[in-house]
Amino acid sequence: MKLLFRLLTLLFFTLTTLSANAQAPILTADAAILIDARTGQVLYEKNADKRESPASMTKMMTCILALERGNPLKTIAVSANAANVESTELCGGEWIRLGDLTYQMMLISDNGAATAIAEAIGGNVNHFASMMNEKARAIGAVGTHFVNANGMPDEDHYSTARDMAKIAQYGLRNKEFRQIVSTKSKQVHYERPSKNLPCTNTNHLLFTYDGAIGVKTGYTRAAQGCLAAAATRNGRTLIAVIMHAGWGSRFTEAAALLDHGFEMKK
């Protein structure tokens, strides 16, 4: 009888351990990480400290500084420099409030909007990049170095999956940040000339993944597909970061990582 009890006890703990350490998904991404947003506990990692190009995930930091250092009601005149950046809907001479510009940057990943925010808050892109780096160090993202506000390719512009997760985690503590990155679509209003620009979020998981609340996509030829994805289920929020993956597989692999995390026992 004692032997049977011991065998049953051993079986119970074996099954519990297997459940807690459910098989992690196989990822094609070059680097990835999954963390608990509340505690920062790492639930999965792959090359999490490898230096990678963050592409437009950079804009998470730009958004953080826009919210902490800027006035959303301030009207900004779009410079020719911002309007001439690759992949933007801006035109020189337009006037738009900082709050609307931040939505445009985060929802459709507008590179010119990020540049305009940098100029409005930092005076110029170089000084704003210094502000970004200072904030990154304060957050603990010590493997990161920014040279621009939008994530356009540059050898000196880099981060890691771990750092991107820390930046996303920090941002999600801000109510306004959470509101922006969870917005599926919005009509962004321009003051002069008066018009509305329809913006649909590039984060497909907001439309397809149960509990998705953000955060930011990224893609360049150098960086390939990147994604910082967050979701909340049963009061628990997880953050998955995918770097250097396929354009579409970044979404499926982030979803698989999140599923893996939610299936694990706390």
Side-chain angles (χ1 to χ4, degrees), residues 94-219:
E94 292 177 323
W95 290 72
I96 180 172
R97 289 183 177 179
L98 177 62
D100 284 299
L101 196 60
T102 305
Y103 271 95
Q104 182 170 325
M105 172 184 68
M106 295 300 282
L107 267 63
I108 64 172
S109 207
D110 192 297
N111 289 331
T115 299
I117 290 170
E119 292 174 340
I121 295 176
N124 58 65
V125 173
N126 289 338
H127 184 246
F128 186 78
S130 296
M131 295 168 63
M132 295 170 73
N133 291 323
E134 181 181 357
K135 189 68 180 182
R137 288 191 295 272
I139 290 172
V142 295
T144 293
H145 185 258
F146 298 118
V147 298
N148 59 56
N150 49 37
M152 293 292 286
D154 189 294
E155 289 185 358
D156 290 328
H157 190 97
Y158 53 81
S159 188
T160 67
R162 193 183 309 279
D163 282 2
M164 285 288 108
K166 288 180 180 180
I167 292 170
Q169 179 188 24
Y170 178 89
L172 288 171
R173 293 173 182 155
N174 183 302
K175 180 180 179 181
E176 287 74 23
F177 183 95
R178 293 197 307 272
Q179 176 63 41
I180 293 168
V181 300
S182 65
T183 298
K184 294 180 178 179
S185 61
K186 180 179 177 63
Q187 295 284 334
V188 171
H189 180 68
Y190 283 65
E191 300 295 314
R192 287 190 291 173
S194 181
K195 66 175 183 178
N196 289 324
L197 176 70
C199 294
T200 300
N201 204 309
T202 57
N203 183 2
H204 297 177
L205 292 189
L206 288 177
F207 303 90
T208 62
Y209 190 84
D210 181 30
I213 60 170
V215 183
K216 188 68 193 76
T217 58
Y219 183 88

Side-chain angles (χ1 to χ4, degrees), residues 56-74:
S56 285
M57 290 194 298
T58 298
K59 297 183 176 90
M60 293 190 295
M61 180 60 80
T62 304
C63 182
I64 288 169
L65 290 179
L67 295 174
E68 292 185 350
R69 301 287 189 94
N71 178 352
L73 299 180
K74 179 182 178 180

Side-chain angles (χ1 to χ4, degrees), residues 6-82:
R6 289 175 181 173
L7 288 173
L8 289 174
T9 301
L10 178 62
L11 177 62
F12 171 78
F13 281 109
T14 300
L15 291 175
T16 301
T17 302
L18 288 174
S19 175
N21 298 283
Q23 185 66 38
I26 298 174
L27 305 180
T28 63
D30 194 32
I33 196 168
L34 176 70
I35 70 168
D36 184 295
R38 182 179 66 84
T39 65
Q41 179 187 4
V42 176
L43 306 176
Y44 170 93
E45 60 181 285
K46 175 186 177 183
N47 298 329
D49 296 309
K50 183 180 179 182
R51 185 178 293 183
E52 301 275 2
S53 173
S56 285
M57 290 194 298
T58 298
K59 297 183 176 90
M60 293 190 295
M61 180 60 80
T62 304
C63 182
I64 288 169
L65 290 179
L67 295 174
E68 292 185 350
R69 301 287 189 94
N71 178 352
L73 299 180
K74 179 182 178 180
T75 301
I76 295 171
V78 177
S79 70
N81 182 49

